[in-house]
Coordinates of all heavy atoms in Angstrom, one line a residue:
N1400 N 76.9 124.1 101.7 CA 76.7 122.9 102.6 C 75.4 122.2 102.2 O 75.4 121.0 102.1 CB 76.6 123.4 104.0 CG 78.0 123.9 104.5 OD1 79.0 123.5 104.0 ND2 77.9 124.7 105.6
A1401 N 74.4 123.0 101.9 CA 73.1 122.4 101.4 C 73.3 121.7 100.1 O 72.8 120.6 99.9 CB 72.0 123.4 101.3
D1402 N 74.0 122.3 99.2 CA 74.3 121.7 97.9 C 75.1 120.4 98.0 O 74.8 119.4 97.3 CB 75.1 122.6 97.0 CG 74.2 123.8 96.5 OD1 73.0 123.7 96.6 OD2 74.8 124.8 96.1
R1403 N 76.0 120.3 99.0 CA 76.8 119.1 99.2 C 75.9 118.0 99.6 O 76.0 116.9 99.1 CB 77.9 119.4 100.2 CG 78.9 118.2 100.3 CD 79.9 118.4 101.4 NE 79.4 118.5 102.7 CZ 79.2 119.6 103.4 NH1 79.6 120.7 102.9 NH2 78.7 119.5 104.6
V1404 N 75.0 118.3 100.6 CA 74.1 117.2 101.1 C 73.2 116.8 100.0 O 72.9 115.6 99.9 CB 73.4 117.7 102.3 CG1 72.3 116.7 102.8 CG2 74.4 118.0 103.5
H1405 N 72.6 117.8 99.3 CA 71.7 117.4 98.2 C 72.4 116.5 97.2 O 71.8 115.5 96.7 CB 71.3 118.7 97.5 CG 70.4 118.5 96.3 ND1 70.9 118.5 95.0 CD2 69.1 118.2 96.1 CE1 70.0 118.2 94.1 NE2 68.9 118.1 94.8
R1406 N 73.6 116.8 96.8 CA 74.3 116.0 95.9 C 74.5 114.5 96.4 O 74.4 113.6 95.7 CB 75.7 116.6 95.6 CG 76.5 115.9 94.5 CD 77.6 116.8 93.9 NE 78.4 117.3 95.0 CZ 78.4 118.6 95.4 NH1 77.6 119.5 94.9 NH2 79.2 119.0 96.4
Q1407 N 74.8 114.4 97.7 CA 75.0 113.1 98.3 C 73.7 112.3 98.3 O 73.7 111.1 98.0 CB 75.5 113.3 99.8 CG 76.9 113.8 99.9 CD 77.2 114.1 101.4 OE1 76.4 114.3 102.2 NE2 78.5 114.2 101.7
L1408 N 72.6 113.0 98.5 CA 71.3 112.3 98.5 C 71.0 111.8 97.1 O 70.5 110.7 96.9 CB 70.2 113.3 98.9 CG 70.1 113.6 100.4 CD1 69.2 114.7 100.7 CD2 69.8 112.4 101.2
V1409 N 71.2 112.6 96.1 CA 70.9 112.2 94.7 C 71.8 111.0 94.3 O 71.3 110.0 93.7 CB 71.2 113.4 93.7 CG1 71.1 112.9 92.2 CG2 70.1 114.5 93.9
E1410 N 73.1 111.1 94.7 CA 74.0 110.0 94.4 C 73.7 108.7 95.2 O 74.1 107.6 94.7 CB 75.4 110.5 94.7 CG 75.9 111.6 93.7 CD 77.3 112.1 94.1 OE1 77.7 111.7 95.3 OE2 77.9 112.9 93.4
S1411 N 72.9 108.9 96.3 CA 72.6 107.7 97.1 C 71.2 107.1 96.7 O 70.8 106.2 97.4 CB 72.6 108.1 98.6 OG 73.8 108.6 99.0
G1412 N 70.6 107.6 95.7 CA 69.4 107.0 95.2 C 68.1 107.8 95.6 O 67.0 107.2 95.6
Y1413 N 68.2 109.1 95.9 CA 67.1 109.9 96.2 C 67.0 111.1 95.1 O 67.3 112.2 95.4 CB 67.2 110.5 97.6 CG 67.2 109.5 98.6 CD1 68.4 109.0 99.1 CD2 66.0 109.0 99.2 CE1 68.5 108.0 100.1 CE2 66.1 108.0 100.2 CZ 67.3 107.5 100.6 OH 67.3 106.6 101.6
P1414 N 66.6 110.7 93.9 CA 66.5 111.7 92.8 C 65.6 112.9 93.0 O 65.7 113.9 92.4 CB 66.1 110.9 91.6 CG 65.4 109.7 92.1 CD 66.1 109.4 93.4
E1415 N 64.6 112.7 93.9 CA 63.6 113.7 94.2 C 64.1 114.7 95.3 O 63.3 115.5 95.7 CB 62.2 113.2 94.5 CG 61.7 112.3 93.3 CD 61.6 113.1 92.0 OE1 61.2 114.3 92.1 OE2 61.9 112.5 91.0
A1416 N 65.3 114.5 95.8 CA 65.8 115.4 96.8 C 65.8 116.8 96.3 O 66.0 117.0 95.1 CB 67.2 115.0 97.2
R1417 N 65.5 117.8 97.2 CA 65.4 119.2 96.7 C 66.0 120.1 97.8 O 66.1 119.7 99.0 CB 64.0 119.5 96.4 CG 63.0 119.2 97.6 CD 61.6 119.5 97.2 NE 61.2 120.9 97.6 CZ 60.0 121.3 97.6 NH1 59.0 120.5 97.1 NH2 59.7 122.6 97.9
V1418 N 66.3 121.3 97.4 CA 66.7 122.4 98.3 C 65.7 123.5 98.2 O 65.5 124.0 97.1 CB 68.1 122.8 97.9 CG1 68.5 124.0 98.9 CG2 69.1 121.7 98.0
S1419 N 65.2 123.9 99.2 CA 64.3 125.1 99.3 C 64.8 126.1 100.3 O 65.7 125.8 101.1 CB 62.8 124.7 99.6 OG 62.8 124.1 100.9
M1420 N 64.3 127.3 100.2 CA 64.8 128.4 101.1 C 63.7 128.8 102.1 O 62.5 128.9 101.7 CB 65.2 129.6 100.3 CG 66.5 129.3 99.5 SD 67.2 130.7 98.6 CE 66.0 130.9 97.4
E1421 N 64.0 129.0 103.3 CA 63.1 129.5 104.3 C 63.8 130.6 105.1 O 65.0 130.6 105.2 CB 62.8 128.3 105.3 CG 61.9 127.2 104.7 CD 61.6 126.2 105.8 OE1 62.0 126.4 107.0 OE2 60.9 125.2 105.4
E1422 N 63.0 131.5 105.7 CA 63.5 132.5 106.5 C 63.0 132.3 107.9 O 61.8 132.2 108.2 CB 63.0 133.9 106.0 CG 63.6 135.1 106.8 CD 63.2 136.4 106.3 OE1 62.7 136.5 105.1 OE2 63.3 137.4 107.0
R1423 N 64.0 132.2 108.8 CA 63.7 132.0 110.2 C 64.4 133.1 111.1 O 65.6 133.2 111.0 CB 64.2 130.7 110.7 CG 63.6 129.5 110.0 CD 64.1 128.2 110.5 NE 63.7 127.0 109.7 CZ 64.1 125.8 109.9 NH1 65.0 125.5 110.9 NH2 63.7 124.8 109.1
N1424 N 63.6 133.9 111.7 CA 64.1 135.0 112.6 C 65.1 135.9 111.8 O 66.1 136.3 112.3 CB 64.8 134.4 113.8 CG 63.9 133.6 114.7 OD1 62.7 133.9 114.8 ND2 64.4 132.4 115.2
G1425 N 64.7 136.2 110.6 CA 65.6 137.1 109.8 C 66.7 136.4 109.1 O 67.5 137.1 108.4
T1426 N 66.9 135.1 109.3 CA 68.0 134.4 108.6 C 67.5 133.5 107.5 O 66.5 132.7 107.8 CB 68.8 133.5 109.7 OG1 69.3 134.4 110.7 CG2 69.9 132.8 109.0
V1427 N 68.1 133.5 106.4 CA 67.7 132.7 105.3 C 68.4 131.3 105.4 O 69.6 131.3 105.5 CB 68.1 133.3 103.9 CG1 67.8 132.3 102.8 CG2 67.3 134.6 103.7
L1428 N 67.6 130.3 105.4 CA 68.2 128.9 105.5 C 67.9 128.1 104.3 O 66.8 128.3 103.7 CB 67.6 128.2 106.8 CG 67.9 128.8 108.1 CD1 67.2 128.0 109.2 CD2 69.4 128.8 108.4
H1429 N 68.8 127.2 103.9 CA 68.6 126.4 102.8 C 68.3 125.0 103.3 O 69.1 124.3 103.9 CB 69.9 126.3 101.9 CG 70.4 127.7 101.5 ND1 69.8 128.4 100.5 CD2 71.3 128.5 102.1 CE1 70.4 129.6 100.4 NE2 71.3 129.7 101.3
V1430 N 67.0 124.6 103.1 CA 66.5 123.3 103.7 C 66.6 122.2 102.6 O 66.1 122.3 101.5 CB 65.0 123.5 104.1 CG1 64.5 122.2 104.7 CG2 64.9 124.7 105.1
V1431 N 67.2 121.1 103.1 CA 67.4 120.0 102.2 C 66.3 118.9 102.6 O 66.3 118.5 103.7 CB 68.8 119.4 102.3 CG1 68.9 118.2 101.3 CG2 69.8 120.4 102.0
Q1432 N 65.6 118.5 101.6 CA 64.6 117.4 101.8 C 64.9 116.2 100.9 O 65.3 116.4 99.7 CB 63.2 117.9 101.4 CG 62.6 118.9 102.4 CD 61.2 119.2 102.1 OE1 60.6 118.7 101.2 NE2 60.6 120.2 102.8
A1433 N 64.8 115.0 101.4 CA 65.0 113.8 100.6 C 63.8 113.5 99.8 O 64.0 112.8 98.8 CB 65.4 112.6 101.5
G1434 N 62.6 113.9 100.2 CA 61.4 113.6 99.4 C 60.2 113.9 100.2 O 60.2 114.2 101.4
S1435 N 59.0 113.9 99.5 CA 57.7 114.1 100.1 C 56.8 113.0 99.8 O 56.8 112.5 98.7 CB 57.1 115.4 99.6 OG 57.9 116.5 99.9
F1436 N 56.1 112.5 100.8 CA 55.3 111.3 100.7 C 53.9 111.4 101.3 O 53.7 112.1 102.3 CB 56.0 110.1 101.3 CG 57.4 110.0 100.9 CD1 58.4 110.6 101.7 CD2 57.8 109.3 99.8 CE1 59.8 110.5 101.3 CE2 59.1 109.2 99.5 CZ 60.1 109.8 100.2
V1437 N 52.9 110.9 100.6 CA 51.5 110.9 101.1 C 51.4 109.9 102.3 O 50.7 110.1 103.3 CB 50.5 110.5 100.0 CG1 49.1 110.4 100.6 CG2 50.5 111.6 98.9
S1438 N 52.2 108.8 102.2 CA 52.1 107.7 103.2 C 53.1 108.0 104.3 O 54.3 108.2 104.0 CB 52.4 106.4 102.6 OG 52.7 105.4 103.5
R1439 N 52.7 108.0 105.5 CA 53.6 108.2 106.7 C 54.5 107.0 106.8 O 55.7 107.2 107.1 CB 52.8 108.3 108.0 CG 53.6 108.3 109.3 CD 54.1 109.7 109.5 NE 55.1 109.7 110.6 CZ 55.5 110.8 111.3 NH1 54.9 112.0 111.0 NH2 56.4 110.8 112.2
D1440 N 54.0 105.8 106.5 CA 54.9 104.6 106.5 C 56.0 104.7 105.6 O 57.2 104.3 105.9 CB 54.1 103.3 106.2 CG 53.1 103.0 107.3 OD1 53.3 103.5 108.5 OD2 52.1 102.3 107.1
K1441 N 55.8 105.2 104.3 CA 56.8 105.4 103.4 C 57.9 106.4 103.8 O 59.1 106.2 103.7 CB 56.2 105.8 102.0 CG 57.3 106.1 100.9 CD 58.1 104.9 100.6 CE 59.0 105.2 99.4 NZ 59.9 104.0 99.1
A1442 N 57.4 107.5 104.4 CA 58.3 108.5 104.9 C 59.2 107.9 106.1 O 60.4 108.2 106.1 CB 57.5 109.7 105.4
E1443 N 58.5 107.1 106.9 CA 59.3 106.5 108.0 C 60.4 105.5 107.5 O 61.5 105.4 108.1 CB 58.3 105.7 108.9 CG 57.4 106.6 109.7 CD 58.1 107.3 110.9 OE1 59.3 107.1 111.1 OE2 57.4 108.0 111.6
A1444 N 60.0 104.8 106.4 CA 61.0 103.9 105.9 C 62.2 104.6 105.3 O 63.3 104.2 105.5 CB 60.3 103.0 104.8

């Protein structure tokens, strides 16, 4: 499911989209990010 969303983001113009892994309460989750930004305004946009 994470891979599907990541692929959609890349195809939609977000080439820096990434998938990372986190552990929450013993469960491994695959977190999808569209990008990281120094500017809050850019992130909001």
Side-chain angles (χ1 to χ4, degrees):
N1400 293 336
D1402 288 341
R1403 185 183 69 253
V1404 173
H1405 174 263
R1406 187 165 52 251
Q1407 291 174 341
L1408 287 171
V1409 172
E1410 292 174 351
S1411 299
Y1413 299 92
E1415 299 305 320
R1417 54 183 269 189
V1418 179
S1419 60
M1420 291 186 289
E1421 292 183 1
E1422 184 174 343
R1423 299 180 190 173
N1424 300 321
T1426 300
V1427 175
L1428 296 177
H1429 306 280
V1430 180
V1431 183
Q1432 292 184 3
S1435 299
F1436 310 91
V1437 175
S1438 165
R1439 175 82 189 198
D1440 290 341
K1441 176 61 176 178
E1443 292 284 2

